Amino acid sequence: TPSAVQKIKQLLRDKPEHVGVKVGVRTRGCNGLSYTLEYTKSKGDSDEEVVQDGVRVFIEKKAQLTLLGTEMDYVEDKLSSEFVFNNPNIKGTCGCGESFNI
């Protein structure tokens, strides 16, 4: 989303050695999977690259099918600010919202 693009641009301004962010999934939480998001200095051999308004997002190979069709957003309210993944593939989430299953 435009909000996520602007936030990533803002975060990367302070990290000129990084070319973008990498999104992945890890086995974690009470429901199986959780998202990972980290700065990256280069595109991995198996990473899928998505460029949106000049922002480069790399998707780890093992996460590509899990994240197919997913929208990444950045939301802020009075108590928190976070990246949110709107994933149409999710079959269920845990009560705390930290993990999901497909």
Side-chain angles (χ1 to χ4, degrees):
T1 64
S3 178
V5 167
Q6 290 308 314
K7 185 60 178 181
I8 292 171
K9 282 182 179 179
Q10 177 189 352
L11 292 170
L12 289 174
R13 267 188 225 120
D14 299 333
K15 302 198 176 310
E17 69 277 12
H18 293 89
V19 297
V21 294
K22 185 177 288 196
V23 179
V25 292
R26 298 284 182 269
T27 302
R28 194 173 94 194
C30 52
N31 223 348
L33 298 170
S34 66
Y35 299 104
T36 63
L37 187 62
E38 60 191 18
Y39 299 105
T40 187
K41 294 181 179 180
S42 63
K43 178 184 183 291
D45 292 337
S46 303
D47 292 346
E48 180 74 26
E49 182 177 357
V50 177
V51 179
Q52 180 72 40
D53 298 326
V55 169
R56 297 171 73 188
V57 176
F58 303 96
I59 304 168
E60 293 179 347
K61 181 178 182 171
K62 69 179 186 175
Q64 290 171 10
L65 290 176
T66 304
L67 296 174
L68 193 64
T70 298
E71 175 189 68
M72 183 174 158
D73 195 6
Y74 182 76
V75 295
E76 291 183 275
D77 62 31
K78 290 181 181 181
L79 298 176
S80 68
S81 59
E82 64 184 339
F83 286 100
V84 175
F85 295 88
N86 300 310
N87 188 335
N89 306 305
I90 290 178
K91 300 238 186 307
T93 60
C94 65
C96 63
E98 292 293 320
S99 63
F100 64 94
N101 65 53
I102 297 189

